[in-house]
Amino acid sequence: DNETLFDNTAWKMPSSLFSADQRMRANWLCSAVIALGHGIPFFHAGDEVLRSKSLDRDSYNSGDWFNVLDFSGKRSAFGSGLPPRSKNGDKWPLMRPL
């Protein structure tokens, strides 16, 4: 399950150092490496539309609040709240500023 590619770039490329455009371009570059190296079966659902699960590392039981997948690109789960404490609580202090 784990974080999406977009969530991982949010962790590793803080907004204080990288613009949203730079993070978006890095996300697409990573997707291109996956596509050329392994092919379509290795894509995580929604990578092409910068899908986020609001940094939830195990969203299986989190419902649509965190697992939303909007192919129109108008809605994203990023910043929709802190993910459940049971699997993510230890990272809440790091997540709040993002």
Side-chain angles (χ1 to χ4, degrees):
D1 198 23
N2 298 327
E3 293 97 348
T4 64
L5 181 59
F6 182 81
D7 290 341
N8 278 320
T9 55
W11 276 119
K12 295 173 172 92
M13 298 180 74
S15 59
S16 60
L17 299 175
F18 299 94
S19 69
D21 186 55
Q22 288 173 315
R23 291 192 309 271
M24 180 177 58
R25 291 171 63 104
N27 194 91
W28 287 335
L29 177 63
C30 292
S31 292
V33 170
I34 293 167
L36 294 172
H38 296 290
I40 299 298
F42 280 84
F43 276 101
H44 191 276
D47 277 346
E48 70 279 10
V49 291
L50 304 175
R51 178 184 180 214
S52 172
K53 295 187 297 178
S54 201
L55 306 173
D56 191 348
R57 64 175 293 273
D58 186 8
S59 66
Y60 181 77
N61 290 320
S62 295
D64 291 341
W65 185 262
F66 292 106
N67 287 307
V68 65
L69 179 53
D70 179 15
F71 284 106
S72 72
K74 295 179 182 172
R75 183 173 174 220
S76 173
F78 190 74
S80 61
L82 290 171
R85 181 186 298 262
S86 60
K87 302 255 175 134
N88 302 282
D90 58 325
K91 292 185 179 177
W92 275 9
L94 299 171
M95 292 176 180
R96 279 191 178 96
L98 297 176

